[in-house]
Amino acid sequence: MYATIRRYKNAGALADAMSSQKDEVKKLISGVSGFVNYYATRDGGNVTSVSIYNDKAGCDESTRL
């Protein structure tokens, strides 16, 4: 398994957009080949996301998206 961890600072607007468009985000990320799971947390104005895929190609594709 492969994981991509992304950290966004001062990303309150991003967190709000992700929350209000939850279904679209899920559809985009889960549509990548090898998808296993996706997690996102918000700490004040910061966001951390973790994408998990069966292979490196899936992680690379999620980064491109």
Side-chain angles (χ1 to χ4, degrees):
M1 284 206 203
Y2 290 78
T4 300
I5 300 170
R6 296 179 184 87
R7 294 186 185 131
Y8 306 94
K9 293 187 179 200
N10 301 316
L14 172 64
D16 292 342
M18 288 172 64
S19 180
S20 69
Q21 298 178 12
K22 198 179 321 184
D23 292 337
E24 289 85 355
V25 172
K26 182 178 179 179
K27 183 178 178 181
L28 180 70
I29 297 298
S30 65
V32 175
S33 178
F35 173 78
V36 175
N37 218 329
Y38 176 81
Y39 305 93
T41 62
R42 180 179 191 170
D43 178 20
N46 303 317
V47 175
T48 301
S49 69
V50 179
S51 303
I52 303 172
Y53 293 89
N54 284 321
D55 52 32
K56 184 178 181 310
C59 278
D60 292 345
E61 178 64 10
S62 75
T63 298
R64 187 190 70 75
L65 293 174

